[in-house]
Amino acid sequence: MKISELCKLVGATVYAPQDGNAEGEVLGAFASDMMSDVLAFAKNQDVLISGLCNPQTIRTAVMLDMKCILLVRGKVPTPDMITLARSNNIVLMSTKQKMYAVCGVLYANGLGAGEYNG
């Protein structure tokens, strides 16, 4: 799924890259507010779906080579998060939808879970 399509499906606002152009393609997603779970169980997912709105979310995505972070529940990233996402070439976006709804919409439109390691 193209990141631009993902953005449209969930009505997201793009904060990074700077021009707001969400390019690229993603094959799997992982949803969690606990970064310890993301580090332990996320394998080969390109999108991190989370309500945790702090720089640690960006750092976790960087460690796992994720391409995109989608903040849920109307969370707005801090300026530090935006700068960190931009410097690491990560698409950072936010939606007002809840995590459960986002996961359902993305799954119904063909975005899988990637490889599960649990």
Side-chain angles (χ1 to χ4, degrees):
M1 170 181 294
K2 291 190 181 295
I3 295 175
S4 57
E5 179 184 356
L6 181 154
C7 184
K8 287 177 188 172
L9 286 170
V10 300
T13 300
V14 179
Y15 293 93
Q18 192 161 3
D19 62 6
N21 191 5
E23 294 183 12
E25 192 160 340
V26 292
L27 302 176
F30 192 90
S32 180
D33 287 342
M34 295 182 60
M35 294 303 105
S36 57
D37 280 356
V38 177
L39 289 169
F41 300 112
K43 304 289 184 230
N44 298 327
Q45 283 89 14
D46 296 320
V47 180
L48 174 56
I49 302 166
S50 183
L52 184 63
C53 191
N54 66 41
Q56 189 59 33
T57 306
I58 308 293
R59 290 186 187 101
T60 300
V62 170
M63 289 175 61
L64 297 173
D65 294 324
M66 292 180 157
K67 299 176 185 175
C68 180
I69 297 171
L70 175 60
L71 299 174
V72 294
R73 301 187 298 270
K75 302 292 176 90
V76 177
T78 65
D80 288 345
M81 289 179 71
I82 295 168
T83 299
L84 196 55
R86 288 176 180 167
S87 66
N88 286 284
N89 296 317
I90 292 177
V91 176
L92 178 60
M93 58 179 79
S94 177
T95 181
K96 292 181 180 181
Q97 294 187 37
K98 294 180 181 177
M99 187 183 295
Y100 182 78
V102 166
C103 292
V105 166
L106 296 179
Y107 186 82
N109 282 277
L111 185 63
E115 175 186 330
Y116 178 69
N117 186 28

